């Protein structure tokens, strides 16, 4: 039995999502906890729309992307439970939007805000560390590509 071993005692789950539930008073209330999950999911959809609009350069296609994403079975299942997936989705979409914005705009606040969101991703799910790694690899590859193309960095 896997759960009777020491493995179950050593599992790590970041405290970001439970802290959010506690901050809004939803740690002991199922309806409030479900409302928090639903709110994170609903707030992630505009982030997805803005990101898709920038990536696809079409509002209509962005609407199609959001509608298709909103009805995916995995997405709908993630919203039905009190799980951190919706918060992770919201933070991931916010990071992608901020990261894309920092490439387009020259505001010094965008990379800092994107870094804060990356830190929050790790606080919500330990897989957020992969997003940090991906952001670092992207920054290195982009810089090397620009240098190779003879553009100033």
């Amino acid at each position: 039995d896997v759960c009777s071993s020491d493995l179950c005692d050593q599992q790590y789950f970041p405290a970001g999502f439970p802290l959010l539930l506690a901050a809004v008073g939803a740690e002991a209330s199922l309806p409030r906890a479900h409302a928090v999950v639903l709110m994170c999911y609903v707030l992630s959809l505009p982030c997805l729309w803005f990101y898709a609009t920038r990536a696809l350069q079409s509002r209509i296609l962005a609407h199609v992307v959001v509608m298709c994403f909103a009805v995916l079975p995995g997405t709908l299942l993630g919203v039905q439970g009190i799980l951190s997936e919706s918060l992770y989705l919201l933070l991931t979409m916010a990071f992608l939007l901020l990261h894309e914005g920092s490439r387009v705009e020259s505001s010094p606040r965008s990379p800092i805000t994107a870094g804060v969101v990356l830190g929050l991703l790790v606080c919500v799910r330990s897989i957020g560390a992969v997003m940090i790694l991906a952001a670092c690899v992207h920054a290195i590859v982009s810089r090397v590509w620009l240098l190779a193309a003879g553009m100033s960095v």
Side-chain angles (χ1 to χ4, degrees), residues 95-111:
F95 167 71
L96 290 173
L97 195 58
L98 288 166
H99 180 66
E100 185 68 24
S102 69
R103 288 181 43 217
V104 175
E105 303 163 4
S106 60
S107 170
R109 287 184 291 181
S110 292

Side-chain angles (χ1 to χ4, degrees), residues 32-84:
R32 284 185 185 172
H34 280 290
V36 169
V37 170
L38 184 61
M39 183 178 58
C40 290
Y41 170 71
V42 169
L43 289 174
S44 68
L45 295 178
C47 291
L48 174 61
W49 184 82
F50 282 115
Y51 181 72
T53 301
R54 281 187 181 171
L56 301 172
Q57 298 179 351
S58 168
R59 291 181 175 189
I60 294 171
L61 290 177
H63 284 296
V64 171
V65 166
V66 171
M67 287 188 293
C68 289
F69 178 78
V71 297
L72 285 172
T75 305
L76 295 175
L77 287 173
V79 176
Q80 290 178 357
I82 302 172
L83 304 168
S84 62

Side-chain angles (χ1 to χ4, degrees), residues 105-129:
E105 303 163 4
S106 60
S107 170
R109 287 184 291 181
S110 292
I112 294 170
T113 309
V116 169
V117 172
L118 271 178
L120 290 172
L121 275 170
V122 175
C123 291
V124 172
R125 305 279 304 253
S126 51
I127 194 71

